[in-house]
Amino acid sequence: MTSPLPETDPVPPPGCPMHRAGGGRPAPLYGPAVSDDPHGLYARLREQYGPVAPIELEPGVEAWLVLGYPELLELTRNEALFSKDSRRWRVAREGRLAADSRLLPMTAWRPTLLNLDGAEHQRLRSAVADTLSRIDHRQLRTTTEAAANALIDGWGPDGTADLIAQYARRLPLLVFTQLLGLPAEAGPHLIELISHFVDSSEKSVRANAEFQAILVDLVRRRREQPGADLTSWLLAHQAGLTDEEAVHHLVVILVAGNETTINWTGNALRLLLTDRRFRSTLTGGRLSVSDALDEVLWRDPPTQNFPGRWATGDTVLGGQYISAGDMLVLGLAGANADPAVHGPDGIGGNRAHLAWGAGRHVCPAQHPARLIVETAVETLLHRLPDLQLAVPAAELKWRPSPWSRALVDLPVLYSAFSPPRPAASERPTWTPPTAPPPSDSTPSDATSTPRTPGSGRPGRRSWWNSLAGWWSGR
């Protein structure tokens, strides 16, 4: 692929792949176009260029966006021709990627399953997949429900909340900090750092370095004192990960698991509040929460684009000439919208979407992520049955990320709480091996109606309520 053409050049030079691409300048995959109306952008690119479109990731940094469903499957299943090793990228090798580029945190090579092919990829993937498989799903559901109820109980009595800032963004960290064996107070700082480099903000490079420093310390401590957590299990795996490999894979688990879960929860709740058909089929029992979440993955997957693959040689994909070293971005949202894969009955209950990727690099964290999001949505629907959007749907704003599909906020109104299921005093709780002491503070009542007998908080606050209270500034 050639460099973008000067605006004064009316016609691409002979031999340029833009001749075959339909002409014109590569579309920017950054800025308002990709955050405000990505579906419209992908439709226009598909109409102009077909299933593979030329794009810019930054001014002067070109790539290809794969929008076709069969083309994306071909891309992800052909490791020999489309490698995960970002060191092949021509743009970086030619010195055209700035030292402070916002793309670096998402494209820089690391010794992880995301950047390797073949046997080495399989070794590292087995370590991550086996570690995640050790999660007790029943315990995870109990843990997530307890965290969700603690957050909801912490909301004020005025009947308003922001479901992104006060729920979707906090809930996964309450779960993942415990799963990984991180100290509770690390949660809010970690999510701030993750947001910076996933959004490719101006602070992304520094945030990425600080994020990894926290995990280096965690690995060091868990080498010395193993616990019943994902970090300890990863270090003990027979694959024999080095400390460096373990740190980088904790980054993968936290970013993939946490960021995806946040966005999936937020996008599901937005659809619930803005799409009458979706809400009526869900609350009326005609659609399970699990099926509803798959519809969200088709329509607004939490990761809309993902870097990437790098061509190992000159080839053709989707009618476009791809040069060795070109970067190809997985257009997950665009491929899901490919008209070729949508039948006359729509997509209800269909899990053939590409939200998790495909091939050998398909996301290994999808099952715990699904369980967390299912529990988050079910708990909220039970606790706040009259939940409604507080602003017109058109006023909702999206984060300016080329990779994530994530709302800035989701303000809601509600009139009353329903008590937790079962009563808080009877619910099982999970206390971590190194749980911090409970707070002496007494949270204020967050209900606008009397609680049923036995539904109040126990005298001694659980670990979840202490942590959720800290999140809420109590």
Side-chain angles (χ1 to χ4, degrees):
M1 182 178 175
T2 59
S3 298
L5 300 170
E7 293 185 3
T8 54
D9 287 354
V11 181
C16 174
M18 294 298 291
H19 273 299
R20 197 163 176 89
R25 291 173 55 82
L29 199 70
Y30 55 87
V34 73
S35 58
D36 295 348
D37 183 24
H39 300 297
L41 172 64
Y42 305 145
R44 291 190 298 273
L45 289 175
R46 191 191 313 278
E47 182 179 359
Q48 183 175 2
Y49 300 110
V52 179
I55 57 170
E56 278 190 331
L57 297 173
E58 286 182 343
V61 177
E62 72 275 5
W64 298 97
L65 180 63
V66 181
L67 298 163
Y69 188 98
E71 287 76 16
L72 197 144
L73 288 179
E74 180 181 350
L75 177 74
T76 54
R77 291 173 177 174
N78 191 340
E79 249 182 31
L81 193 52
F82 302 110
S83 171
K84 284 289 289 180
D85 191 337
S86 62
R87 292 172 295 186
R88 298 177 180 271
W89 194 11
R90 284 195 306 115
V91 168
R93 290 206 318 264
E94 294 169 2
R96 293 191 286 119
L97 191 66
D100 60 350
S101 169
R102 299 179 184 183
L103 298 172
L104 281 171
M106 295 293 286
T107 61
W109 187 87
R110 298 179 180 88
T112 75
L113 75 171
L114 293 179
N115 299 99
L116 293 165
D117 303 310
E120 189 63 5
H121 165 259
Q122 188 56 39
R123 177 182 76 90
L124 296 172
R125 180 181 174 84
S126 68
V128 172
D130 292 348
T131 294
L132 292 172
S133 72
R134 294 185 65 175
I135 296 174
D136 183 326
H137 283 196
R138 187 170 72 172
Q139 183 64 70
L140 179 58
R141 184 178 290 278
T142 299
T143 299
T144 305
E145 186 179 355
N149 278 310
L151 286 171
I152 294 170
D153 285 344
W155 296 348
D158 62 351
T160 66
D162 176 1
L163 294 186
I164 300 301
Q166 294 177 266
Y167 195 66
R169 185 156 292 279
R170 296 179 181 182
L171 179 59
L173 251 297
L174 288 171
V175 177
F176 274 98
T177 51
Q178 182 167 330
L179 287 177
L180 290 175
L182 282 161
E185 62 272 15
H189 188 48
L190 282 174
I191 193 59
E192 180 184 2
L193 297 175
I194 292 171
S195 296
H196 280 312
F197 64 78
V198 170
D199 282 352
S200 296
S201 77
E202 67 277 1
K203 300 179 181 179
S204 60
V205 175
R206 185 171 58 184
N208 186 50
E210 187 174 351
F211 178 75
Q212 291 196 53
I214 292 172
L215 297 181
V216 166
D217 180 65
L218 173 64
V219 167
R220 178 188 58 78
R221 288 187 287 106
R222 282 297 178 258
R223 283 284 191 199
E224 298 170 355
Q225 296 180 320
D229 53 65
L230 293 180
T231 304
S232 301
W233 298 337
L234 187 66
L235 291 170
H237 192 271
Q238 62 184 6
L241 271 62
T242 66
D243 283 6
E244 181 186 16
E245 288 175 331
V247 167
H248 286 306
H249 284 87
L250 290 179
V251 173
V252 171
I253 291 172
L254 265 174
V255 174
N258 186 70
E259 185 71 16
T260 300
T261 304
I262 291 169
N263 300 345
W264 193 5
T265 303
N267 294 351
L269 295 175
R270 182 195 70 87
L271 198 59
L272 184 73
L273 293 166
T274 60
D275 188 321
R276 184 173 298 177
R277 182 219 35 103
F278 182 81
R279 180 162 185 158
S280 64
T281 55
L282 179 58
T283 57
R286 296 188 298 278
L287 188 69
S288 70
V289 171
S290 182
D291 287 342
L293 292 180
D294 280 307
E295 183 169 338
V296 175
L297 292 179
W298 275 105
R299 294 171 62 171
D300 265 321
T303 302
Q304 59 175 330
N305 301 300
F306 193 81
R309 296 292 193 277
W310 285 267
T312 61
D314 296 344
T315 188
V316 176
L317 180 67
Q320 306 288 15
Y321 294 107
I322 311 296
S323 298
D326 278 359
M327 177 180 175
L328 299 102
V329 175
L330 280 65
L332 303 176
N336 278 350
D338 189 341
V341 299
H342 290 266
D345 297 328
I347 55 176
N350 187 335
R351 291 192 177 180
H353 55 73
L354 297 174
W356 304 112
R360 295 181 179 178
H361 286 268
V362 68
C363 176
Q366 56 184 286
H367 299 304
R370 176 180 290 274
L371 196 152
I372 292 171
V373 177
E374 272 188 28
T375 305
V377 173
E378 289 172 351
T379 303
L380 194 67
L381 286 176
H382 170 70
R383 296 295 307 278
L384 305 175
D386 64 346
L387 197 66
Q388 58 183 301
L389 197 59
V391 299
E395 293 184 7
L396 296 175
K397 302 296 183 184
W398 298 91
R399 280 164 47 194
S401 172
W403 318 118
S404 296
R405 182 64 171 161
L407 286 165
V408 173
D409 52 26
L410 188 59
V412 294
L413 304 171
Y414 55 90
S415 63
F417 287 99
S418 294
R421 284 180 307 196
S425 59
E426 301 170 0
R427 285 158 22 118
T429 58
W430 178 24
T431 303
T434 56
S439 169
D440 293 331
S441 64
T442 302
S444 60
D445 282 336
T447 57
S448 54
T449 57
R451 295 181 185 271
T452 57
S455 66
R457 296 181 183 84
R460 177 180 172 84
R461 300 179 71 204
S462 71
W463 183 79
W464 280 123
N465 280 313
S466 297
L467 183 53
W470 181 81
W471 263 111
S472 304
R474 294 199 301 267

